[in-house]
Amino acid sequence: MKLNLRQIEVFRAVMITGTIRGASELLFVSQPAVSRLLSHMEQRIGFPLFQRIRGRLHATLEARKLFHEVENVYEGVQRVSDMARDLFEHQEGILNLVASPSIGQMLMPAAMTEYRRDHAQVKLTFQYLTHLPLTERLLKRQADLGVTILPLHHPNLELEQIGATRMVCIFPRGHALAESATLNASDLLPYPLIAYERNSPFGQMVHGWFEAQGHTAKAVVEVGSPQNACALVQAGAGIALVDEYSARSCQAAVSWRDR
């Protein structure tokens, strides 16, 4: 069984408006045409999509499940329409960028501004995302280029290292750790640690650093990103290990030392 786009469009309109009349007004067609197409669709798929009770349409469980997939289709169609419009308005191209939050808050704004000076007619789109959503966006070709603080290991992605940074320990200003130029894992044990889920990329780095020195990282709070860790350190919840870019983004309220 196959459904054509017109039938799907009518079904979606009825689901959104809740009535044949509303669907006809939304699609600028007659009510009999909507009823006919909806009936043909139900005959083709072999089960009812709506219960007609006292002149009103009530979606069946099957219709609600089908509507979820239809919305996914329409999101794809909308992306195609948006791209076609953008290509018309920006003849020199569109560059879709994603970055990890650490890079996205510090380096990307400056890099994009510099790029725009020489490519004023190119449209840029930009979002910063955590590790897994960023990878997914690239794999689905919804982004052209990603810049991330951590490497992405995937056979369908090309990776090029363009720089390096350090992991540093951050803590509130005036903290006892500020007296040391460099820190070991044992130096951090007396203080409440804000860390990351063990299986996350940052979590593996932090826990691996402690374990390499014969200690276990015991977090009082687990967070999803260095930015979350910075916010908690600023609030006085503890200390944290973050990348240097994240530390610089919150340097007004915290200090840091090399681990």
Side-chain angles (χ1 to χ4, degrees), residues 64-188:
R64 291 194 292 271
K65 289 182 177 179
L66 191 61
F67 181 64
H68 175 73
E69 296 302 320
V70 166
E71 285 297 275
N72 290 336
V73 171
Y74 264 78
E75 287 178 6
V77 172
Q78 186 61 51
R79 285 197 297 271
V80 172
S81 298
D82 292 343
M83 179 174 289
R85 184 191 65 246
D86 285 341
L87 289 172
F88 174 77
E89 295 176 351
H90 303 275
Q91 299 294 317
E92 293 190 16
I94 305 167
L95 184 59
N96 300 303
L97 306 169
V98 289
S100 58
S102 302
I103 300 293
Q105 291 184 352
M106 288 292 296
L107 294 184
M108 288 300 289
M112 292 168 64
T113 300
E114 183 67 24
Y115 180 86
R116 285 276 301 158
R117 291 193 181 103
D118 297 325
H119 305 83
Q121 299 306 313
V122 176
K123 178 182 179 180
L124 302 178
T125 70
F126 172 61
Q127 285 186 309
Y128 58 80
L129 305 166
T130 53
H131 196 75
L132 290 178
L134 184 147
T135 304
E136 183 179 1
R137 187 69 62 91
L138 289 168
L139 291 172
K140 289 183 176 181
R141 299 183 180 274
Q142 295 173 354
D144 302 306
L145 177 68
V147 184
T148 175
I149 195 74
L150 297 172
L152 298 179
H153 299 293
H154 195 282
N156 295 330
L157 295 175
E158 293 186 13
L159 178 68
E160 179 180 351
Q161 182 174 336
I162 59 175
T165 186
R166 303 173 296 170
M167 288 288 285
V168 299
C169 180
I170 60 172
F171 38 80
R173 293 194 180 278
H175 196 278
L177 290 175
E179 299 177 2
S180 302
T182 59
L183 300 170
N184 296 316
S186 58
D187 297 322
L188 309 189

Side-chain angles (χ1 to χ4, degrees), residues 49-68:
L49 295 169
F50 299 93
Q51 294 179 338
R52 294 159 177 82
I53 302 174
R54 297 178 181 177
R56 296 183 60 85
L57 297 180
H58 297 267
T60 63
L61 176 61
E62 293 81 1
R64 291 194 292 271
K65 289 182 177 179
L66 191 61
F67 181 64
H68 175 73

